[in-house]
Amino acid sequence: MENHHHHPAGETDSAAMAELLDLDAEVLHSYLSEVIAWVHELAGDLPRRRILDLGSGTGTGALALVQRFEGAEVIALDISAQLLDRLRDKARDLGVADRVHTVQADLDAAWPAIDTVDLVWASSSLHHMADPHRVLTEAFATIRSGGLLAVAEMDAFPRFLPDDLGLGRPGLEARCHAAVAEGLADEVPHLGSDWGPRLNKAGFTIEAERHFAIDLTPPLPASAGRYAQASLRRIRSGLDGRMSADDLATLDTLIDSDGPDCVLRRGDLAVRTARTVWVARRP
Ligand SMILES: C[S@@+](CC[C@H](N)C(=O)[O-])C[C@H]1O[C@@H](n2cnc3c(N)ncnc32)[C@H](O)[C@@H]1O
């Protein structure tokens, strides 16, 4: 694969991932604040709370939690040093660096030494684990009795495009998603799981399960075009050989920043996605 700019491949990937995660947080801001407020309500009052964010990425959850839970200390854990660097920069900018700690660890390997916490947050991360049951069992052991675990997962990838773009054959995005799903079935088999029974199996009791349907239509947040572009780019990277040359060409036209049909400049975008959040308690 061609290596753009001066970054080694891994760094380029993680810069693109960091951008996508930050745009996700920005565009879906109202969903995020609703979920965090809801978890805050379920968690009740405690003087000095310790929170663990599993697979924190650039800190969407960790930073929202540290701001919402006054005085709380948040441990952000991720396998990626680059994403954690970005998270620390953001924590500094927000003036909460003293309450945010980062731990670089691979949750598929040994669980790191972490003192008991009151709340664990895991957003779009559990499905990446080779053995989510083991991770949930470790999370259970790390949460104090009476403490909470909140798991947020995507029900479907975000959709941005109208069915008929006036460009190529209608239904492009649906075909993209179907082709991506084929590849992901092997790569991330836990994606789209029903996490409720899995949480029970690890010893938790389910406190609540809530579905969030996100349907943003114009006027969209300013970064929606960049979010669409970053999402479609990520999808595009796994589609070679899985779609017709015509569809791939149309997709490239939509992604190409310089082209007239780029999603950065289209007036017909929407943002549609759905997330489910389970809140479980360690008895
Ligand atoms: C889709 S991102 C979600 C990030 C963040 N929780 C959010 O909601 O924006 C998944 C994250 O899980 C991390 N991750 C994947 N596998 C991991 C593992 N084995 N151990 C630790 N972190 C992992 C990735 O580096 C990435 O930051």
Side-chain angles (χ1 to χ4, degrees), residues 232-273:
L232 292 172
R233 259 201 192 126
R234 185 163 171 76
I235 283 179
R236 173 67 183 89
S237 67
L239 287 181
D240 275 325
R242 291 191 189 273
M243 285 181 90
S244 73
D246 283 352
D247 274 350
L248 290 177
T250 308
L251 189 54
D252 287 336
T253 304
L254 291 165
I255 294 171
D256 175 13
S257 300
D258 300 326
D261 295 309
C262 182
V263 287
L264 292 175
R265 279 179 290 281
R266 298 186 71 95
D268 58 359
L269 296 189
V271 181
R272 299 201 167 89
T273 182

Side-chain angles (χ1 to χ4, degrees), residues 121-179:
W121 167 263
S123 170
S124 294
S125 54
L126 283 183
H127 70 259
H128 287 287
M129 309 296 155
D131 184 357
H133 180 67
R134 194 178 60 77
V135 174
L136 288 173
T137 306
E138 299 276 15
F140 185 89
T142 306
I143 297 174
R144 70 165 167 85
S145 172
L148 294 182
L149 164 68
V151 172
E153 286 280 331
M154 216 188 254
D155 299 325
F157 282 110
R159 288 174 182 259
F160 303 98
L161 305 171
D163 186 54
D164 189 0
L165 287 163
L167 197 70
R169 194 155 62 87
L172 173 72
E173 201 168 33
R175 288 194 296 284
C176 286
H177 285 223

Side-chain angles (χ1 to χ4, degrees), residues 60-135:
T60 298
L63 297 171
L65 289 161
V66 81
Q67 292 177 94
R68 182 80 208 196
F69 287 79
E70 220 173 297
E73 181 189 344
V74 175
I75 303 143
L77 185 154
D78 204 279
I79 194 172
S80 161
Q82 284 94 343
L83 298 183
L84 291 176
D85 279 350
R86 174 103 152 212
L87 186 154
R88 277 194 300 273
D89 286 346
K90 292 203 280 181
R92 209 169 305 126
D93 292 347
L94 290 167
V96 293
D98 57 327
R99 294 194 287 126
V100 176
H101 313 283
T102 56
V103 174
Q104 189 194 356
D106 178 357
L107 290 171
D108 285 334
W111 186 267
I114 291 173
D115 286 342
T116 306
V117 299
D118 304 293
L119 170 65
V120 171
W121 167 263
S123 170
S124 294
S125 54
L126 283 183
H127 70 259
H128 287 287
M129 309 296 155
D131 184 357
H133 180 67
R134 194 178 60 77
V135 174

Side-chain angles (χ1 to χ4, degrees), residues 16 19-20 22-24 26-27 86 160 220-233 255 257 262-265 269 271:
E19 192 198 359
L20 180 57
D22 283 353
L23 286 166
D24 184 86
E26 225 172 292
V27 174
R86 174 103 152 212
F160 303 98
L220 296 175
S223 40
R226 282 189 293 129
Y227 180 49
Q229 186 187 35
S231 299
L232 292 172
R233 259 201 192 126
I255 294 171
S257 300
C262 182
V263 287
L264 292 175
R265 279 179 290 281
L269 296 189
V271 181

